[in-house]
């Protein structure tokens, strides 16, 4: 059974969805860069070991990432999952977990990387928005895409209403992507493409259309 370590910074919304999804893996630990992250309580309620490393206690981003990697490696992870982990990771850290470090981003990448994605979507007037699960690379929010889910954007939408609908899809999509990984069904090629092995045509697209919402 594969070991998964989850990194969080806040409330643990996607963490809760992952833990409730009956994924055939061992959630070995939940680690936060914020000692007061409420998601740590969710992990403890599930009997999962927790740890916190306050990034403010470190003199540099590099020093923090070295300490974080040391903590992660105690659990011998097959997969490291970023679930609302609000830190830009150094290239050395990303390279250490190449091919086994994934993230979920609240937009249809490559559109709207970075923060405030829902505000960006409303301002841009796009008609479709969503979320993306991707392998992490040193380029922020630009790693190989594993799966995406889409929602329609309505004229009356605000950033808050749009965020609510996207979050519903995040809670559906992220557990599915993690399940594919632990089942050995994701193939990451040298040129940065992701293929889903043994997929039906619909499953292989891994896109939840607006009509499915």
């Amino acid at each position: 059974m594969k070991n998964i370590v989850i990194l969080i910074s806040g409330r643990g919304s996607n963490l809760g969805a992952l833990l409730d999804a009956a994924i055939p893996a061992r959630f070995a630990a939940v680690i936060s860069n914020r000692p007061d992250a409420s998601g740590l309580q969710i992990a403890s309620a599930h009997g999962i070991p927790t740890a916190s490393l306050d990034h403010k206690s470190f003199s540099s981003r590099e020093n923090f990432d070295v300490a974080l990697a040391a903590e992660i490696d105690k659990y011998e992870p097959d997969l490291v999952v970023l679930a609302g982990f609000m830190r830009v990771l150094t290239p050395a850290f990303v390279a250490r977990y190449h091919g086994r470090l994934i993230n979920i981003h609240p937009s249809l990448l490559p559109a709207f990387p970075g923060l405030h994605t829902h505000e960006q979507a409303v301002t841009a007037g796009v008609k479709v928005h969503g979320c993306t699960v991707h392998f992490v690379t040193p380029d922020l929010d630009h790693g190989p895409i594993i799966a995406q889910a889409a929602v329609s954007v309505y004229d009356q939408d605000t950033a808050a209403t749009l965020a609510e609908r996207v979050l519903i899809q995040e809670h559906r999509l992220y557990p599915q992507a993690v399940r594919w990984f632990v089942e050995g069904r994701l193939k990451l090629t040298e040129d940065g493409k992701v293929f889903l092995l043994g997929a039906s045509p619909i499953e292989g697209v891994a896109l939840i259309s607006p009509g499915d919402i």
Side-chain angles (χ1 to χ4, degrees), residues 12-205:
S13 172
N14 273 301
L15 165 66
L18 290 165
L19 298 182
D20 291 340
I23 296 169
R26 175 176 174 264
F27 290 97
V30 173
I31 303 171
S32 176
N33 67 307
R34 296 183 181 274
D36 60 348
S38 55
L40 294 172
Q41 299 175 15
I42 295 175
S44 295
H46 282 77
I48 298 171
T50 64
S52 61
L53 283 76
D54 189 346
H55 63 276
K56 297 177 182 178
S57 300
F58 292 84
S59 60
S60 68
R61 189 177 300 276
E62 289 76 12
N63 288 342
F64 171 77
D65 279 7
V66 168
L68 178 61
E71 184 65 31
I72 291 171
D73 288 350
K74 292 178 183 179
Y75 302 97
E76 300 180 348
D78 298 287
L79 178 65
V80 179
V81 175
L82 308 183
F85 187 65
M86 304 302 291
R87 295 284 298 171
V88 176
L89 297 166
T90 58
F93 182 96
V94 172
R96 186 185 191 94
Y97 301 104
H98 174 73
R100 55 192 180 111
L101 178 64
I102 65 174
N103 181 49
I104 189 163
H105 182 75
S107 79
L108 293 174
L109 294 174
F112 312 131
L115 300 175
H116 311 300
T117 60
H118 310 303
E119 289 89 340
Q120 292 184 63
V122 170
T123 299
V126 298
K127 302 306 180 186
V128 178
H129 187 45
C131 55
T132 302
V133 180
H134 65 96
F135 284 104
V136 177
T137 66
D139 295 327
L140 181 66
D141 298 330
H142 281 87
I145 291 172
I146 297 171
Q148 294 180 305
V151 301
S152 296
V153 182
Y154 303 116
D155 292 342
Q156 67 271 26
D157 264 325
T158 64
T161 60
L162 190 54
E164 289 177 1
R165 293 204 308 284
V166 170
L167 188 62
I168 292 171
Q169 298 309 318
E170 290 183 41
H171 292 171
R172 296 172 61 184
L173 191 68
Y174 215 4
Q176 180 62 75
V178 171
R179 184 176 289 107
W180 286 336
F181 183 96
V182 301
E183 291 174 349
R185 297 180 59 193
L186 295 180
K187 179 182 178 181
L188 176 61
T189 65
E190 291 184 2
D191 61 348
K193 299 293 192 300
V194 181
F195 294 94
L196 178 62
L197 304 178
S200 66
I202 293 176
E203 186 184 25
V205 172

